[in-house]
Amino acid sequence: MRSFMAATGTGTIPASSSSHILFSSISQRRHYPLLPWGNPTHSTAPTSAASFRYRTTPRPAAVVTPPTTKTTDVGSERSEKREFYPIEHLTTWLLKHEQSGDIDAELTIVLSSISLACKQIASLLQRSSITNLTGAHGTINIQGEDQKKLDVISNELFCSCLRSSGRTGIIASEEEDVPVAVEETYSGNYIVVFDPIDGSANIDTALTTGSIFGIYGPDKQCLVDLDDDSPLDEAKERCIISVCQPGSNLLAAGYCLYSSSVVFTLSIGKGVFAFTLDPTYGEFVLTHENIQIPKTGKTYSFNEGNYDLWDEKLKNYLDHLRQPGPSGKSYSGRYIGCLVGEIHRMLLRGGIYGNPDNKYSKNGNLRLLYECAPMSYLVEQAGGKATDGRQRILDITPSEVHQRTPIFIGSAEEVEKLEKYLA
């Protein structure tokens, strides 16, 4: 058995597998030194076995004090240095907003179940090469795209977590032909739309991928037999109509980035917050509070391999970005091939991302319902803009679940500049 010495140099206490909990507060460690078992008090006598006196009455409960600060003089300036930093987990953050009335208990459970699915997907991605989860699955989804193995598995994980929450009524996914009714619903009946793996072409090369989700308000359940071979009946059509809502109706939206860090970014209509997964104990920790996208940026992200297929007005805009500005520098081109990665960088650094229509893809390549609308919701909550070149993305009502749309999204002033070129 491992042991560690008390602060006084005498006595030991057994080491715990969760020893980080014992040291979670520096102030507590400072004011309450480690002592041997028996609830002793520490005297000011020289260190010895006799320097520990055992209480006959219970120790009073520790008083939790707010973080302390030290004020130091640096030249003519005064600066404050925090001695320790509080840690807020995603679960705590959700419960706090539930108590304040921003969300209800059912939505808290739905968001928690989504975060659990993201943790499981992150684990699978990290071990995908080891466990032979790379490569194609051998099937094609309704959009005519080859499915990766992790596309299928991640979709099942999302659906399983949402079903087990008991608060989801309808699920619509990129990997499902039609919306899926959830029979295991106890209450809530939220509509959840998602892309389980965005940028799945990056999986085999261990590059950035992500998950995207959006949550709409409760609706009546569509408990129908969704047989792929049967034509849509009236009940199924009602199910699809319930799902096909404009992004302005979203109650919450977010994404999970799988890269050097696993970052769960979320908005419930009160700003944008990002939580980074701490792998030591498997919890999302608040790391970016109330994100505000810069009004301008010096980065653009377009797949310029399609340059010759684009409209002349868009070409003129890109030619403008390549020209040196007043500082003598032009914009920097960055393209990840994953919408989640593009938006995450943009939220923190500013710039503009575009996936326009072209001669062969008249409606662009991205899906409106579960890719463009949730991302546009997040960017607008952070102070940015999103448009299809003619109207605001969040004002578009989908006519079908897998409808595609062009999108230009990013810093407000950068999108406005683009709109002038496209007008």
Side-chain angles (χ1 to χ4, degrees):
M1 177 183 293
R2 295 183 296 108
S3 63
F4 47 84
M5 302 305 295
T8 59
T10 63
T12 61
I13 67 174
S16 168
S17 61
S18 58
S19 59
H20 64 279
I21 299 175
L22 297 174
F23 297 104
S24 61
S25 171
I26 294 176
S27 64
Q28 289 182 355
R29 182 173 62 185
R30 182 171 60 249
H31 298 301
Y32 302 101
L34 297 175
L35 302 175
W37 49 86
N39 199 23
T41 59
H42 180 55
S43 72
T44 58
T47 302
S48 68
S51 65
F52 294 102
R53 177 172 54 83
Y54 290 84
R55 291 181 182 272
T56 57
T57 57
R59 181 189 296 275
V63 178
V64 179
T65 58
T68 59
T69 59
K70 279 185 178 180
T71 303
T72 57
D73 289 316
V74 181
S76 60
E77 299 179 355
R78 292 170 64 82
S79 63
E80 290 188 351
K81 180 180 179 182
R82 301 182 69 177
E83 292 188 4
F84 69 93
Y85 296 84
I87 292 179
E88 186 170 11
H89 301 156
L90 175 61
T91 302
T92 305
W93 186 87
L94 289 172
L95 291 174
K96 182 176 68 177
H97 282 275
E98 180 189 330
Q99 291 171 354
S100 63
D102 297 330
I103 55 177
D104 59 23
E106 283 75 17
L107 185 53
T108 298
I109 294 172
V110 172
L111 288 168
S112 295
S113 68
I114 291 174
S115 72
L116 175 60
C118 291
K119 291 178 188 177
Q120 294 175 326
I121 293 171
S123 177
L124 290 174
L125 285 167
Q126 290 171 347
R127 296 181 290 113
S128 60
S129 296
I130 300 171
T131 56
N132 194 30
L133 289 178
T134 57
H137 183 262
T139 55
I140 298 175
N141 64 19
I142 193 171
Q143 287 86 242
E145 301 167 336
D146 291 328
Q147 291 179 304
K148 300 288 186 180
K149 293 177 183 177
L150 277 173
D151 281 328
V152 178
I153 296 172
S154 298
N155 184 66
E156 289 299 321
L157 283 173
F158 251 92
C159 292
S160 176
C161 288
L162 289 169
R163 285 191 178 103
S164 63
S165 74
R167 269 73 181 176
T168 309
I170 306 174
I171 295 171
S173 165
E174 179 184 8
E175 308 303 330
E176 301 286 349
D177 293 354
V178 293
V180 177
V182 179
E183 298 181 6
E184 297 88 348
T185 297
Y186 310 123
S187 62
N189 290 332
Y190 284 95
I191 299 170
V192 182
V193 298
F194 59 90
D195 180 358
I197 292 285
D198 171 59
S200 58
N202 289 346
I203 293 174
D204 293 353
T205 50
L207 298 179
T208 302
T209 55
S211 299
I212 308 171
F213 66 89
I215 304 175
Y216 291 94
D219 197 85
K220 294 181 180 179
Q221 288 178 280
C222 303
L223 297 181
V224 295
D225 181 16
L226 294 177
D227 182 1
D228 292 341
D229 297 328
S230 63
L232 286 176
D233 57 23
E234 186 177 346
K236 293 179 185 179
E237 289 178 356
R238 286 200 306 269
C239 229
I240 292 176
I241 292 172
S242 297
V243 170
C244 291
Q245 301 183 45
S248 55
N249 289 355
L250 282 164
L251 297 182
Y255 62 78
C256 190
L257 173 77
Y258 311 115
S259 187
S260 58
S261 296
V262 179
V263 184
F264 188 84
T265 304
L266 171 68
S267 177
I268 56 173
K270 301 287 184 178
V272 180
F273 298 79
F275 302 79
T276 303
L277 183 64
D278 187 336
T280 57
Y281 55 96
E283 286 286 350
F284 283 110
V285 177
L286 180 62
T287 51
H288 300 78
E289 188 169 1
N290 196 23
I291 297 172
Q292 290 294 305
I293 186 172
K295 293 183 179 179
T296 62
K298 283 297 180 180
T299 302
Y300 71 94
S301 182
F302 288 72
N303 183 1
E304 294 188 79
N306 294 324
Y307 180 88
D308 291 334
L309 304 178
W310 290 336
D311 181 83
E312 289 299 324
K313 294 179 180 179
L314 180 59
K315 290 181 183 179
N316 292 336
Y317 168 73
L318 290 171
D319 293 340
H320 161 73
L321 296 185
R322 296 194 191 100
Q323 298 300 317
S327 64
K329 294 183 178 180
S330 60
Y331 280 63
S332 296
R334 296 286 186 271
Y335 189 71
I336 301 174
C338 169
L339 180 60
V340 171
E342 309 285 5
I343 298 301
H344 185 73
R345 182 190 63 238
M346 197 173 304
L347 284 173
L348 302 180
R349 297 287 182 261
I352 185 169
Y353 168 80
N355 194 309
D357 54 2
N358 59 56
K359 293 179 180 178
Y360 301 115
S361 298
K362 296 299 183 181
N363 296 314
N365 297 310
L366 297 179
R367 268 68 58 162
L368 171 61
L369 182 65
Y370 42 80
E371 291 179 326
C372 296
M375 288 305 201
S376 299
Y377 180 85
L378 282 173
V379 167
E380 288 200 7
Q381 283 290 316
K385 294 188 69 175
T387 176
D388 68 349
R390 296 175 294 275
Q391 61 179 321
R392 179 176 174 238
I393 290 290
L394 294 183
D395 289 337
I396 304 174
T397 301
S399 57
E400 56 186 54
V401 175
H402 302 290
Q403 178 176 327
R404 299 175 189 259
T405 181
I407 185 172
F408 304 97
I409 185 171
S411 299
E413 292 185 13
E414 299 297 340
V415 175
E416 290 168 2
K417 182 191 297 184
L418 168 68
E419 289 176 323
K420 292 178 181 178
Y421 273 86
L422 298 181

